[in-house]
Amino acid sequence: MTDQKRYERLLAAVQSGDIDRRSLLRIIGATAAAVGVTGGPMGLLTRKAMAAGVESIRFDGWGGIVSEAFHNNAFPQFTEKTGTKVVEGEFGDTDEFISLVKASQPGEYNVFLVSGVYDYFRFIKMGLADFVNEANIPNLDKLLPATLAAFRNESEGKLAAVPFDYGTTGIAYNRKYISDEEAQAGHKLLWDEKYKGKIGLYDGFQTRAWMSSLYTGQDPQGATDTAAMWEATRKQRDLVLKYWGSGQEFIDLMSKEEIILSDGWSGRVAFLQQNGHDIGFIDTAQAGFAWIEGLMVLKGSPMEAAEQLINFCIEPAVAIAIAEGQNYPPSLDPTKVELTEKVKKLPGFDPTGKFDNYIWEKASYWFDNQDAYKKEWDRISKGA
């Protein structure tokens, strides 16, 4: 059955009274990303629910273990406490999500998990975001100053997203085949012909440009010889089995040993390690970069409910529970909040909270170069 057909039948079920509003919201949340549209039956369903007097707010996340962590540790509890239901959606790619938001009516999408200051900057530049009233989010005082500054610096001191967690992109490797000593080569491993056909890489222009800049001895956020950078990417393509597009796909490929070496996100690597896979991870400046995720508010959202939801999610007990579920450290300040041993052991965790050895994205660099870089990466990924 197609998604469109499924929603047509769901609509008929709602109209006939076979599905109640509570079940309707749960089903919409569970399948929103798969539908990929905001008009048609789904838009009608959402409007029917709201018109019926249901006070709800929509949240979109990255799916998989990330969405599960929010669902299991925050949203039902938030609804129980406030009476406001959370309509859960998922997305697998930021560009795809931007298209959905731009095609929607203001207010259809409310709060989502933005990844990195570059994506934060993009939503603001496109006029899709709204700014919070910080006085309504008292738990802001418990967050790491460095993460708050990272967002404020891209939006003239204001916040359209509240830092929630952070992670790193590095090199993941299977210790059955690659030793920790060999892995010290960092990004260079991704060009080692010995591993031809057993390498997986993230299908994203930013990561590809970053790693290739390192390989060609250039500043990953200031490459001057972009021809060399892309030629290295083209050379690397011949070694790659698969460019993966989601964290779940990365997990599947690594766990089945279809690949033994890859770019990796710290939280997804932690998941593999916790499930018995002997996966090593290098995430120093020689291999990758760091990023912040935030709870971002979109234009037209019910601001009071959005601020309430955000404040609830960054409540230490909630944020720590989500962190343990999704395997990314929370943006809570460890000098103010006692973190659990599990959080402290997560890959990418910074016990100082100062991020002295972390390399953050420069939003303006990626924004200024995004069109040219996306175009070239698209050509290379297609074999050009």
Side-chain angles (χ1 to χ4, degrees):
M1 184 188 297
T2 65
D3 290 319
Q4 188 74 13
K5 191 67 175 177
R6 183 177 294 111
Y7 273 92
E8 287 174 359
R9 293 191 176 185
L10 183 56
L11 177 59
V14 172
Q15 292 171 331
S16 66
D18 292 336
I19 297 177
D20 61 22
R21 292 198 298 273
R22 184 181 181 87
S23 298
L24 166 66
L25 292 172
R26 179 176 52 77
I27 295 169
I28 289 174
T31 58
V35 175
V37 294
T38 57
M42 176 163 176
L44 179 57
L45 285 169
T46 304
R47 288 192 290 276
K48 279 179 69 68
M50 296 182 71
V54 176
E55 291 189 18
S56 64
I57 187 165
R58 180 179 174 112
F59 176 91
D60 287 84
W62 283 95
I65 58 174
V66 173
S67 287
E68 287 177 12
F70 276 89
H71 177 80
N72 294 336
N73 299 291
F75 298 150
Q77 296 86 338
F78 175 75
T79 298
E80 183 178 353
K81 181 177 181 180
T82 66
T84 303
K85 293 181 173 62
V86 180
V87 180
E88 299 174 53
E90 300 175 357
F91 59 89
D93 176 86
T94 300
D95 287 343
E96 169 193 293
F97 186 63
I98 287 174
S99 297
L100 291 173
V101 173
K102 290 174 71 174
S104 69
Q105 294 295 319
E108 284 191 48
Y109 291 89
N110 305 141
V111 180
F112 78 104
L113 194 58
V114 67
S115 185
V117 292
Y118 159 59
D119 281 343
Y120 174 83
F121 187 67
R122 280 206 291 170
F123 276 84
I124 290 173
K125 294 288 282 186
M126 288 185 287
L128 299 175
D130 210 347
F131 295 99
V132 300
N133 181 346
E134 297 183 25
N136 293 335
I137 309 176
N139 282 328
L140 277 180
D141 290 342
K142 299 166 186 169
L143 300 187
L144 288 160
T147 62
L148 287 163
F151 282 153
R152 290 191 205 281
N153 290 342
E154 304 299 342
S155 48
E156 300 179 345
K158 296 182 290 186
L159 287 176
V162 170
F164 184 73
D165 59 47
Y166 61 91
T168 58
T169 293
I171 308 298
Y173 56 97
N174 189 321
R175 287 195 177 99
K176 189 189 299 184
Y177 306 97
I178 301 171
S179 69
D180 291 340
E181 290 73 23
E182 185 179 3
Q184 293 303 313
H187 62 270
K188 294 179 182 177
L189 265 183
L190 300 179
W191 276 264
D192 192 329
E193 295 193 359
K194 181 168 55 176
Y195 299 113
K196 182 177 182 177
K198 299 299 283 185
I199 298 175
L201 299 175
Y202 178 48
D203 183 8
F205 82 92
Q206 185 185 41
T207 304
R208 300 281 52 82
W210 194 299
M211 294 299 184
S212 292
S213 293
L214 289 175
Y215 183 71
T216 54
Q218 303 186 73
D219 179 352
Q221 301 193 93
T224 54
D225 189 350
T226 54
M229 179 183 79
W230 291 122
E231 187 54 34
T233 308
R234 193 172 282 106
K235 173 185 175 183
Q236 185 185 47
R237 181 186 60 201
D238 296 335
L239 308 177
V240 175
L241 175 69
K242 180 75 183 271
Y243 290 102
W244 47 268
S246 71
Q248 187 57 52
E249 188 176 11
F250 161 76
I251 288 173
D252 289 342
L253 289 166
M254 288 293 288
S255 62
K256 295 174 182 174
E257 298 189 8
E258 293 181 38
I259 60 173
I260 60 173
L261 176 63
S262 179
D263 305 314
W265 301 330
S266 54
R268 305 297 177 142
V269 170
F271 178 84
L272 285 164
Q273 293 171 339
Q274 291 164 10
N275 284 274
H277 301 281
D278 193 10
I279 305 299
F281 189 55
I282 298 287
D283 65 345
T284 67
Q286 292 299 311
F289 54 96
W291 32 265
I292 305 167
E293 290 190 315
L295 302 172
M296 192 163 200
V297 183
L298 295 166
K299 277 285 190 206
S301 297
M303 187 54 76
E304 185 178 347
E307 291 165 345
Q308 200 174 26
L309 177 62
I310 290 170
N311 193 59
F312 184 84
C313 288
I314 62 173
E315 180 68 31
V318 178
I320 289 171
I322 296 174
E324 291 188 349
Q326 66 166 346
N327 295 314
Y328 289 110
S331 290
L332 297 169
D333 187 339
T335 67
K336 298 179 179 178
V337 177
E338 181 63 34
L339 301 175
T340 62
E341 289 304 311
K342 182 174 181 179
V343 166
K344 293 176 183 177
K345 292 178 181 177
L346 291 175
F349 174 69
D350 179 9
T352 71
K354 297 179 179 177
F355 302 105
D356 289 339
N357 296 317
Y358 289 60
I359 301 176
W360 302 101
E361 298 168 300
K362 293 178 181 176
S364 59
Y365 173 81
W366 298 106
F367 188 81
D368 292 344
N369 290 288
Q370 61 182 359
D371 291 342
Y373 283 13
K374 283 182 179 178
K375 182 178 179 180
E376 189 61 20
W377 166 238
D378 187 57
R379 291 180 69 247
I380 293 173
S381 66
K382 288 180 169 58

